[in-house]
Amino acid sequence: MVIPIVVGTFPGKSKPSDFHEQEIELRLKQLNKPAIKSIHSPDGDIIDCVWIYDQPAFDHPLFKNHTIQRRPRSNSIRDKTGGNKTYIIHQLWRTKGECPENTIPIRRTTRDDLIRSGSIKKYGRKSPPPTIYHTEGAQTEEVHEHTCVYVDYGQFHGSKSRISIWKPNVLRTREFSLAQTWVVNGDWDTGLNTLESGWQILHALYGDKNPRLFAYWTGDTYRETGCYNLDCPGFVQVSRHISLGAALNTFSTYNGEQYDFLLTIEKDQKTGLWWLKFETYLIGYWPSFIVPKLAASARKIAWGGEIVYYTSGRGTHTLTQMGSGHFAEKGFRKAAYFNSLEYIDTSNYPITPSPQNLEATVTRPECYNLQVGSSQRWGTYFFYGGPGRNPHCP
């Protein structure tokens, strides 16, 4: 199998002088739509309330005559909370106001966001791994590490799980740490199609190290299509209560309170739209035409953690943490978790996989690991994470 290597300038090293002001202003105009109302979040974000038909999706030519679907047409998207909760997960900006009817909240992109990303053109997009960067005569490789479980080689209409929220230490600007679900079809050679969502910490994109709700999609193995959140045309948002890319209002602490949220990605049988749901909020949907290999169903559903770091091949492992920053065997209140795992079959019925039916990928168990289990209260679950560099992971 031939894996592409992308060569370029190391991201995050750009200076304001590397960009033309005209390019920056044009890109900001493309990304930031006219606001009916703006809300200043306590974390410094500005959330613009944009008329629903002015959202970025409608910059895509295939959306020219698209009528927004406010809800799934099939009644199969069910609620299953995985237990009673005494708290409400929302986003920080909601403490300062709400968006009016027929608008959606969009995190405003700033000039600093573009400069920090290192590329105006590729802002909001992942690199196709593995990626090699040249910087000051040296080569730097982007390394992805995972601890995840999955079901594969099936026909699936979606994913459900409860994901615990943490604030792991992320060492450098371009490194990230996340917890997410993947809905996948295709392969690396002929074009991987994925729908992804969860929480992440990515300073290069957001300018801070707060855990944020995010979504991502690609129709070609992260090469030319797809992006985070609403940073390109593709995802159609319908909720006025949730802003993709905005910070969550709380996170779990070691030996303290634990917080999680229910995340669902599910295909509407009648329309073919893939809906994203956070707790009880229908955020919006991806149309199948942007991910054509998911038009009928997904082949694979995965859940887990991921970190990215950069190495010249001679250095030590990163100290960037995954999950809580502690290994899976620490257990509840100390390690991060996913519980109430369900995949959705082609009848749109949620199925709990047994631990024995899950496969696992752990790229560096001495750095980050996982443990799978099941119980009456949590269904199928797993703990995961780790500190990164340690005596066993030099």
Side-chain angles (χ1 to χ4, degrees):
M1 180 174 69
V2 178
I3 299 176
I5 296 180
V6 179
V7 178
T9 303
F10 187 66
K13 295 289 185 180
S14 301
K15 304 180 294 294
S17 58
D18 294 334
F19 300 108
H20 294 295
E21 286 299 328
Q22 190 174 1
E23 289 180 297
I24 293 174
E25 292 304 318
L26 179 61
R27 190 73 177 105
L28 289 176
K29 188 175 180 180
Q30 290 173 337
L31 289 165
N32 297 323
K33 303 303 182 183
I36 293 172
K37 175 184 177 180
S38 295
I39 299 169
H40 291 254
S41 177
D43 62 346
D45 281 353
I46 298 176
I47 305 297
D48 289 326
C49 303
V50 174
W51 186 51
I52 195 167
Y53 276 96
D54 278 346
Q55 66 179 289
F58 288 89
D59 291 340
H60 196 297
L62 293 178
F63 282 97
K64 185 176 181 181
N65 298 311
H66 181 75
T67 299
I68 291 176
Q69 306 297 304
R70 300 291 183 137
R71 297 191 64 81
R73 291 188 184 174
S74 48
N75 296 319
S76 60
I77 298 184
R78 307 170 176 87
D79 289 322
K80 184 176 180 181
T81 62
N84 296 323
K85 289 173 28 175
T86 58
Y87 56 86
I88 297 174
I89 299 297
H90 61 81
Q91 295 180 302
L92 281 176
W93 69 272
R94 291 285 303 279
T95 64
K96 297 297 181 180
E98 61 180 23
C99 284
E101 294 283 352
N102 297 316
T103 70
I104 62 165
I106 304 179
R107 179 185 176 271
R108 185 184 298 180
T109 303
T110 68
R111 181 178 183 276
D112 286 345
D113 289 337
L114 292 182
I115 293 171
R116 192 174 52 250
S117 74
S119 172
I120 292 177
K121 182 180 178 182
K122 295 183 178 180
Y123 173 77
R125 287 168 50 190
K126 297 182 182 182
S127 302
T131 304
I132 304 296
Y133 298 100
H134 287 298
T135 174
E136 299 174 356
Q139 284 191 348
T140 302
E141 182 180 1
E142 180 179 291
V143 179
H144 293 244
E145 294 193 358
H146 299 85
T147 60
C148 60
V149 299
Y150 59 93
V151 288
D152 203 352
Y153 300 106
Q155 292 182 319
F156 307 110
H157 274 193
S159 161
K160 278 188 176 182
S161 60
R162 298 206 70 89
I163 306 174
S164 66
I165 311 165
W166 288 82
K167 190 177 181 179
N169 179 52
V170 178
L171 192 63
R172 297 184 176 91
T173 296
R174 293 296 304 176
E175 298 186 0
F176 71 62
S177 185
L178 61 75
Q180 70 167 71
T181 185
W182 292 260
V183 175
V184 184
N185 212 335
D187 56 51
W188 289 97
D189 288 335
T190 62
L192 196 71
N193 287 205
T194 74
L195 305 175
E196 308 172 26
S197 189
W199 63 260
Q200 69 178 167
I201 295 173
L202 176 51
H203 183 271
L205 186 62
Y206 305 112
D208 64 22
K209 295 185 178 182
N210 292 324
R212 292 168 176 268
L213 179 69
F214 81 96
Y216 198 93
W217 68 274
T218 180
D220 63 353
T221 319
Y222 307 101
R223 292 188 178 95
E224 299 296 330
T225 67
C227 63
Y228 283 110
N229 309 322
L230 302 182
D231 290 337
C232 68
F235 185 82
V236 180
Q237 181 154 335
V238 301
S239 174
R240 66 186 181 97
H241 302 293
I242 299 295
S243 178
L244 290 172
L248 297 164
N249 69 315
T250 192
F251 52 87
S252 304
T253 55
Y254 188 83
N255 260 341
E257 293 296 324
Q258 303 298 292
Y259 298 97
D260 60 37
F261 59 84
L262 178 65
L263 190 75
T264 307
I265 299 176
E266 183 168 356
K267 185 175 185 286
D268 186 340
Q269 286 184 313
K270 294 184 178 179
T271 63
L273 305 175
W274 288 89
W275 283 87
L276 175 63
K277 190 175 183 180
F278 172 80
E279 295 283 79
T280 59
Y281 296 109
L282 285 165
I283 301 176
Y285 56 84
W286 294 275
S288 293
F289 63 73
I290 66 171
V291 280
K293 293 185 178 179
L294 287 165
S297 61
R299 188 206 76 205
K300 179 178 182 178
I301 305 294
W303 304 266
E306 178 183 5
I307 67 102
V308 161
Y309 71 101
Y310 296 86
T311 178
S312 62
R314 300 184 301 273
T316 56
H317 193 281
T318 183
L319 286 166
T320 286
Q321 300 173 338
M322 183 188 294
S324 70
H326 296 270
F327 286 114
E329 54 267 27
K330 292 287 187 177
F332 187 57
R333 296 189 186 278
K334 298 177 181 178
Y337 63 81
F338 283 65
N339 69 36
S340 306
L341 297 188
E342 293 179 329
Y343 64 82
I344 298 165
D345 68 12
T346 53
S347 298
N348 283 60
Y349 190 80
I351 306 291
T352 300
S354 68
Q356 295 76 20
N357 289 335
L358 289 173
E359 298 184 67
T361 295
V362 181
T363 51
R364 293 283 300 275
E366 68 274 24
C367 309
Y368 315 99
N369 69 356
L370 65 78
Q371 288 188 350
V372 184
S374 64
S375 70
Q376 185 173 0
R377 181 181 178 188
W378 273 17
T380 296
Y381 65 86
F382 63 94
F383 292 103
Y384 74 97
R389 188 165 79 230
N390 67 79
H392 302 289
C393 173

